[in-house]
Amino acid sequence: MSLNNYTLDRFEGDYAIFLKRPEETEQILIHRSEYSEQLSEGDIVAISYEDGIYHIERLEGEITAQQNKMKQMMQALRNRKK
């Protein structure tokens, strides 16, 4: 079983498009019927594939860290405009 971290980039129709972290140049498409987790765009997840089944786990700590990083970057941009 291989476990990799991905960012949920977007939904296209019935598919979720995940970008492999950290480079986010590789993508994986998973049909919504193949997972039951509640996911939102921007979520960071660990995905494994075993016996024809995707296992997806939201990485709450990494999501929070990414959100904080984005807030800091936005604040720095706002401060530069003053």
Side-chain angles (χ1 to χ4, degrees), residues 58-66:
R58 290 181 83 238
L59 301 175
E60 298 295 339
E62 289 196 37
I63 293 169
T64 300
Q66 185 68 23

Side-chain angles (χ1 to χ4, degrees), residues 13-25:
D14 290 332
Y15 288 88
I17 291 72
F18 296 91
L19 301 178
K20 188 173 181 182
R21 294 177 62 85
E23 295 85 14
E24 298 190 343
T25 55

